[in-house]
Amino acid sequence: MYLHHSLTRMDSFAFTFVTMVGGNPEHDAYGFRYWKDPGPFAEYLATGSLGKFEGFLGALWAASFCIVGPEYISMVAAEAKRPRIYIKQAFKTVYWRFAIFFIGGALCTGIVIPYNDKTLVAVLSGDSAGGGTAAASPYVIAMQNLHIVGFPHLINALLVTSIFSAGNAYTYCATRTLYGLAIEGRAPAMLRKCTKNGVPIYCFAITMVFPFLSFLSVSSSSALVLNWLINLITAGGVIDYIVMSTTYLCFYYASSSGYFQPYCGWIGLVGMTVIVLTYGYSTFVGGFSISSFFSYYTMVGVFPILYVFWKVLKKTSFVKSDKADLIWEARVVDAYEASFTTPPTGFWTEILDLVRFRKGNNDENDLRRPSVRVV
């Protein structure tokens, strides 16, 4: 998923730089023109400075739905050959990937097209066809405005491959989550059923039911339901980050390890809490809507109810940091890693091996001793 996303972003960066300095059929070196006219901030709900601030908040809420990734890396830890090495390396790439691709992508979008572009506004408002498709991409619209031919098809192809790649990743993560819950006894035992190849078939079947909800976007009335689902998912994602920040703070106070901590943990916790509580503030502006209120704040109410319900039902207690078991199954992991007789493969070595199609190279770099006893 990350490879397809990276290729798409790099093409977008190249397109932005080349065209803004005049490398386009119109020979228009527009530079940062759209940052001055109409400006970087669009008015939303209100006018003036307040409207621009609310426009920023609207973009922030949308970004909350798009920013995913770190939590998915941890899900493959149980299946990684050398989790302490490979997962650690994967997490390190998150920092620069977010900074370059997400922040850089947002900046480039504001460079190539103004927020009041007629085609963009028509597509987003539903007055023109193409909403929810590649036709609504700011880059595709910018290419059409500059009369660039051919390149929009490349962007469309990259978007399609990225969508399929992302779909595969999300399917894996959802299936893995359900299976993990079943193993821990937090989901029906029937979900533990696996095929001969180790695929949790019932978890996979349940996961594949939800993609059919995408057909709700076919009609305008059903699209409203789809927006509700997006709001619920966004709130759930932000709550996920709140739990992650809380968990890490508990870990920090138990181990006192980490860079710029516990400040990063507290910044994340406070920031995400503010976002999830003010996420649906538009519901209270210009007339209260019950349906809109529940679409924004259902997860905010459901989460604490489920947490308390589970604590009461299972009679579990909150583990204090000074009582946390930081050893857990460390000996098993130590013994597993001690079974390897060859050094781990580096990232660029694996990329070169993929290009060279060197068959069996991964196995050669992951040779293990016949058996290792866990003491």
Side-chain angles (χ1 to χ4, degrees):
M1 180 178 70
Y2 298 136
L3 179 60
H4 290 85
H5 185 270
S6 300
L7 290 175
T8 304
R9 283 301 182 189
M10 294 307 297
D11 286 343
S12 302
F13 292 162
F15 166 80
T16 301
F17 177 75
V18 173
T19 57
M20 71 183 295
V21 296
N24 56 75
E26 301 296 319
H27 303 290
D28 180 15
Y30 56 87
F32 296 92
R33 177 190 304 162
Y34 301 132
W35 285 21
K36 299 179 180 179
D37 181 23
F41 293 95
E43 295 178 349
Y44 177 66
L45 297 180
T47 58
S49 299
L50 177 60
K52 293 180 179 180
F53 176 69
E54 290 182 323
F56 166 76
L57 293 181
L60 182 62
W61 310 152
S64 300
F65 176 77
C66 301
I67 301 297
V68 293
E71 67 274 27
Y72 293 155
I73 297 176
S74 61
M75 291 185 181
V76 302
E79 300 184 16
K81 290 183 178 180
R82 302 173 189 256
R84 285 178 173 169
I85 297 176
Y86 294 148
I87 299 300
K88 181 180 180 180
Q89 293 175 347
F91 270 111
K92 285 184 176 180
T93 65
V94 171
Y95 305 110
W96 62 262
R97 182 171 62 84
F98 271 40
I100 296 177
F101 294 140
F102 285 89
I103 299 177
L107 293 175
C108 289
T109 301
I111 293 174
V112 300
I113 188 173
Y115 63 77
N116 62 351
D117 181 87
K118 294 181 179 179
T119 304
L120 179 64
V121 173
V123 171
L124 296 179
S125 63
D127 297 333
S128 177
T133 67
S137 169
Y139 293 102
V140 173
I141 296 176
M143 293 171 191
Q144 294 172 348
N145 293 340
L146 294 172
H147 301 96
I148 297 176
V149 296
F151 206 66
H153 300 295
L154 174 61
I155 295 297
N156 292 340
L158 289 174
L159 287 175
V160 170
T161 55
S162 297
I163 290 171
F164 275 106
S165 178
N168 289 333
Y170 298 150
T171 300
Y172 167 81
C173 292
T175 304
R176 177 76 183 177
T177 300
L178 282 176
Y179 182 69
L181 290 173
I183 292 296
E184 294 179 352
R186 301 181 182 181
M190 61 171 289
L191 297 179
R192 301 176 187 176
K193 174 70 175 180
C194 295
T195 63
K196 294 181 179 179
N197 295 327
V199 178
I201 186 63
Y202 293 144
C203 295
F204 175 75
I206 293 175
T207 299
M208 293 308 297
V209 171
F210 290 92
F212 289 101
L213 293 174
S214 60
F215 290 105
L216 290 172
S217 61
V218 174
S219 63
S220 58
S221 59
S222 297
L224 178 61
V225 180
L226 185 61
N227 289 331
W228 292 346
L229 291 174
I230 292 176
N231 290 337
L232 293 173
I233 293 172
T234 302
V238 175
I239 291 174
D240 184 23
Y241 283 111
I242 291 176
V243 174
M244 291 169 60
S245 299
T246 303
T247 303
Y248 183 82
L249 284 173
C250 294
F251 169 77
Y252 170 80
Y253 288 118
S255 61
S256 298
S257 61
Y259 298 104
F260 197 61
Q261 297 296 348
Y263 310 109
C264 282
W266 280 110
I267 292 173
L269 177 60
V270 174
M272 293 297 105
T273 302
V274 171
I275 288 177
V276 79
L277 292 178
T278 60
Y279 172 64
Y281 81 96
S282 59
T283 302
F284 308 97
V285 179
F288 181 75
S289 173
I290 296 179
S291 60
S292 178
F293 174 81
F294 278 103
S295 70
Y296 284 115
Y297 291 105
T298 295
M299 292 301 298
V300 179
V302 169
F303 171 73
I305 292 176
L306 292 178
Y307 179 82
V308 174
F309 172 77
W310 184 263
K311 287 293 183 182
V312 174
L313 179 65
K314 296 295 182 179
K315 298 180 180 180
T316 60
S317 59
F318 185 86
V319 179
K320 296 182 179 180
S321 297
D322 57 348
K323 303 294 183 181
D325 181 11
L326 300 181
I327 304 299
W328 197 36
E329 297 182 358
R331 292 185 300 171
V332 177
V333 179
D334 291 338
Y336 170 77
E337 292 186 340
S339 66
F340 290 97
T341 60
T342 53
T345 305
F347 173 76
W348 293 112
T349 303
E350 289 188 351
I351 296 298
L352 291 176
D353 290 340
L354 289 175
V355 176
R356 297 170 184 170
F357 298 100
R358 291 174 57 184
K359 185 177 181 181
N361 184 75
N362 288 337
D363 295 334
E364 294 175 2
N365 286 279
D366 288 301
L367 296 178
R368 300 174 58 189
R369 298 184 180 88
S371 63
V372 175
R373 184 180 66 178
V374 180
V375 180

